[in-house]
């Protein structure tokens, strides 16, 4: 966990309570939404590859998407804290775009899982009908 000093919204919160607050994404988004240090916090986390925290209003996957976007936009192999903060100041919509890209990814994944389950259930039914036809062909023919 990184140390928070200065005028951030989470500056006065004890570390133990802050960890609990930031476990839930909705709480982290609300806490970080109007924080003056949000860009700096996101830059630190993007560069540190922290896996556990949801700080700056972004979870790990959203930060990875944002990091890729920044790397592509700046065409650099290595980013500095200053590069990330400057990019976020110039492109504040990048945070919302990272969130929506992650939501689209999760929705596609969920829909794909549903299609697989539906297909599996459908194929189970087809096999049942097929096996019934093979075991009792006279029933089906006389129907």
């Amino acid at each position: 966990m990184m140390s928070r000093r200065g005028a951030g919204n989470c500056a006065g919160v004890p570390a133990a309570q802050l960890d609990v607050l930031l476990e839930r994404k909705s709480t982290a988004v609300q806490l970080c939404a109007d924080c003056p240090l949000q860009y700096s916090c996101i830059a630190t986390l993007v560069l540190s590859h922290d896996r556990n925290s949801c700080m700056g209003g972004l979870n790990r996957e959203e930060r990875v998407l944002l990091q890729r976007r920044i790397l592509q936009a700046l065409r650099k192999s290595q980013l500095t804290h200053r590069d990330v903060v400057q990019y976020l100041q110039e492109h504040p919509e990048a945070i919302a775009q990272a969130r929506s890209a992650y939501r689209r990814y999760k929705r596609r994944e969920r829909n794909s899982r549903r299609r697989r389950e539906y297909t599996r259930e459908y194929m189970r039914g087809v096999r049942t009908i097929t096996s019934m036809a093979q075991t009792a062909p006279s029933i089906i023919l006389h129907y």
Side-chain angles (χ1 to χ4, degrees), residues 4-67:
R4 286 165 205 82
R5 302 191 198 304
N9 289 350
C10 55
V13 180
Q17 289 178 347
L18 188 61
D19 289 340
V20 172
L21 284 174
L22 295 177
E23 285 296 318
R24 295 186 57 205
K25 182 166 191 251
S26 59
T27 309
V29 170
Q30 289 173 352
L31 186 65
C32 300
D34 59 346
C35 182
L37 299 178
Q38 182 183 20
Y39 296 156
S40 178
C41 200
I42 291 172
T44 302
L45 290 169
V46 162
L47 297 173
S48 72
H49 305 289
D50 185 4
R51 293 177 179 252
N52 299 323
S53 57
C54 179
M55 291 173 20
L58 299 173
N59 63 19
R60 179 183 180 277
E61 293 83 6
E62 292 166 342
R63 286 194 308 266
V64 168
L65 291 171
L66 182 62
Q67 182 183 30

Side-chain angles (χ1 to χ4, degrees), residues 121-135:
E121 291 294 322
Y122 174 76
M123 292 308 293
R124 232 181 257 147
V126 168
R127 275 190 238 123
T128 305
I129 292 170
T130 307
S131 63
M132 286 174 33
Q134 290 172 351
T135 57

Side-chain angles (χ1 to χ4, degrees), residues 43 47 74 79-89:
L47 297 173
L74 298 179
L79 291 175
T80 64
H81 189 273
R82 184 179 182 164
D83 292 336
V84 176
V85 171
Q86 184 176 2
Y87 180 83
L88 291 174
Q89 287 172 345

Side-chain angles (χ1 to χ4, degrees), residues 64-119:
V64 168
L65 291 171
L66 182 62
Q67 182 183 30
R68 285 184 193 152
R69 180 182 301 270
I70 294 170
L71 283 169
Q72 288 173 352
L74 298 179
R75 301 175 194 265
K76 290 186 174 184
S77 59
Q78 292 287 351
L79 291 175
T80 64
H81 189 273
R82 184 179 182 164
D83 292 336
V84 176
V85 171
Q86 184 176 2
Y87 180 83
L88 291 174
Q89 287 172 345
E90 293 172 0
H91 305 282
E93 73 283 354
I95 296 170
Q97 290 170 350
R99 280 191 190 118
S100 65
Y102 178 67
R103 281 195 304 270
R104 279 193 311 273
Y105 165 75
K106 292 303 278 184
R107 190 176 10 220
R108 280 194 307 263
E109 184 180 87
R110 185 174 55 246
N111 290 338
S112 175
R113 191 176 327 112
R114 285 179 184 161
R115 278 194 297 276
R116 283 193 308 269
E117 290 170 1
Y118 175 78
T119 304

